Amino acid sequence: MQSLYTNGFENIYDDMYQTFIDYEKEFQFYSEIILKQQKKDVLEIGCGSGRLASHFINSPIHYSGMDLSNEMVELSRSKNPEGTFYNGNMTGFNLNNRYDSIIITARTTSYLLNNIAIQKAIKNISNHLNDNGVLCFDFIDASRFFPSIKNGKTVIHEATINDKNYSRISYMKPNVIKENFMFQWNAKYYQTINGEQTLLTEDQSEVRAFTKNEWELFLNLNDFKIIEMIDRKSYAFDTYVVVAQKQ
Ligand SMILES: C[S@@+](CC[C@H](N)C(=O)[O-])C[C@H]1O[C@@H](n2cnc3c(N)ncnc32)[C@H](O)[C@@H]1O
């Protein structure tokens, strides 16, 4: 099954998501957190097509990005030739560097599907943070989101950009037989060309939502102190943003 992150579909991601996410606001939000903690550089894990990168690169905060998808990394590089981007998996990476802060935005933590992956990711992140370094990430809040999809829910998102009309029809339903708060997210992506709707690709993913308590415990067990948990509604999900400090 094709995701939007590879094989040319990363361009569709790039087109559509700039209408879902206000990257200027996203930059203001995360840069304020980083500056408030008096941090000077940042590694963004899951940098996608490099839209948040562009804002950071033009700011005083020194930026590096990393993504699992090589196509996303190439797209980020092509849009930000002066930027530093790496291909890597958050559950196992070694950049031979340490950072003041690490961010994971746009609910990329939903791809940490089991507890082993979470443990590995937190360990890798910790190894890449300076003393008292700050980790900041968002997650889909299962406590509020699951009741809204408990019987299955279809949601349509439209995106019009550069005279192109896209739509995404999503069907989401909790997968309650799994040990964690998993949900099925089946999405069909269409483009309307000359009035005709054409299917571009289909993505059937199982992704993970979390409760606040789960993250509190994962972070505590890995010697991170939670500084803040910010309730922040995102375009489609009930979301919390966690700010935590390496102890
Ligand atoms: C929802 S997109 C968010 C992209 C970007 N942060 C943005 O705001 O547009 C999720 C990104 O995380 C990447 N990703 C997924 N699993 C990953 C992993 N294990 N390690 C690193 N990146 C990952 C995907 O390739 C994709 O580019």
Side-chain angles (χ1 to χ4, degrees), residues 18 31 43 64-66 74 94 131 147 151 155 170 172 178 180 182 189 197 208-209 220 223 226 231 237 244-245:
Q18 62 182 298
S31 63
L43 169 69
S64 306
M66 185 185 89
E74 288 306 324
N94 184 2
D131 292 346
N151 297 318
V155 188
S170 301
M172 293 181 266
K178 293 288 172 77
N180 298 312
M182 311 301 292
Y189 293 85
Q197 206 178 43
R208 184 171 179 178
N220 180 295
D223 299 323
I226 294 180
D231 186 352
F237 302 105
Q245 188 175 51

Side-chain angles (χ1 to χ4, degrees), residues 11-234:
N11 294 301
I12 298 169
Y13 173 92
D14 185 47
D15 270 354
M16 289 185 84
Y17 271 73
Q18 62 182 298
T19 75
F20 299 163
I21 298 174
D22 181 337
Y23 286 99
E24 169 68 41
K25 265 198 194 150
E26 197 83 337
F27 165 70
Q28 291 300 339
F29 180 82
Y30 284 101
S31 63
E32 260 174 40
I33 290 170
I34 293 165
L35 292 174
K36 194 173 155 195
Q37 298 302 324
Q38 296 171 335
K39 303 301 175 197
K40 291 188 169 56
D41 63 47
V42 66
L43 169 69
E44 183 190 9
I45 294 180
C47 61
S49 56
R51 293 224 164 244
L52 193 55
S54 307
H55 291 278
F56 273 109
I57 288 167
N58 290 314
S59 84
I61 301 169
H62 188 266
Y63 174 94
S64 306
M66 185 185 89
D67 202 282
L68 179 62
S69 155
N70 203 32
E71 289 92 330
M72 283 295 203
V73 171
E74 288 306 324
L75 189 53
S76 290
R77 281 188 186 133
S78 70
K79 287 202 288 189
N80 304 286
E82 69 282 35
T84 305
F85 297 96
Y86 304 98
N87 187 209
N89 186 337
M90 66 177 138
T91 62
F93 64 102
N94 184 2
L95 304 181
N96 276 321
N97 209 345
R98 284 182 185 255
Y99 301 86
D100 286 349
S101 68
I102 294 183
I103 58 172
I104 315 171
T105 73
R107 294 145 317 273
T108 299
T109 52
S110 310
Y111 297 106
L112 293 170
L113 298 185
N114 55 53
N115 292 358
I116 296 172
I118 292 173
Q119 285 290 114
K120 284 185 178 170
I122 299 179
K123 285 261 177 297
N124 277 281
I125 286 166
S126 183
N127 290 340
H128 284 79
L129 277 174
N130 289 320
D131 292 346
N132 298 321
V134 165
L135 166 63
C136 183
F137 63 93
D138 62 357
F139 68 89
I140 299 172
D141 175 24
S143 304
R144 287 176 293 172
F145 182 59
F146 272 27
S148 74
I149 61 163
K150 74 175 176 189
N151 297 318
K153 190 174 175 186
T154 299
V155 188
I156 301 176
H157 289 105
E158 311 272 3
T160 299
I161 187 87
N162 302 332
D163 294 331
K164 289 186 260 182
N165 296 306
Y166 296 102
S167 63
R168 175 176 71 188
I169 303 181
S170 301
Y171 179 76
M172 293 181 266
K173 194 173 182 195
N175 199 345
V176 287
I177 58 163
K178 293 288 172 77
E179 60 193 297
N180 298 312
F181 294 113
M182 311 301 292
F183 65 100
Q184 192 60 36
W185 182 2
N186 298 345
K188 286 185 179 174
Y189 293 85
Y190 296 91
Q191 188 175 1
T192 303
I193 304 166
N194 298 328
E196 211 168 291
Q197 206 178 43
T198 307
L199 180 66
L200 297 172
T201 186
E202 214 172 320
D203 179 5
Q204 295 187 355
S205 314
E206 189 178 50
V207 283
R208 184 171 179 178
F210 299 87
T211 63
K212 281 166 82 175
N213 292 2
E214 283 181 299
W215 274 116
E216 278 163 5
L217 194 51
F218 280 125
L219 290 165
N220 180 295
L221 293 176
N222 287 286
D223 299 323
F224 277 87
K225 184 179 107 193
I226 294 180
I227 299 172
E228 243 183 314
M229 266 215 196
I230 304 163
D231 186 352
R232 186 172 189 245
K233 180 99 190 140
S234 62

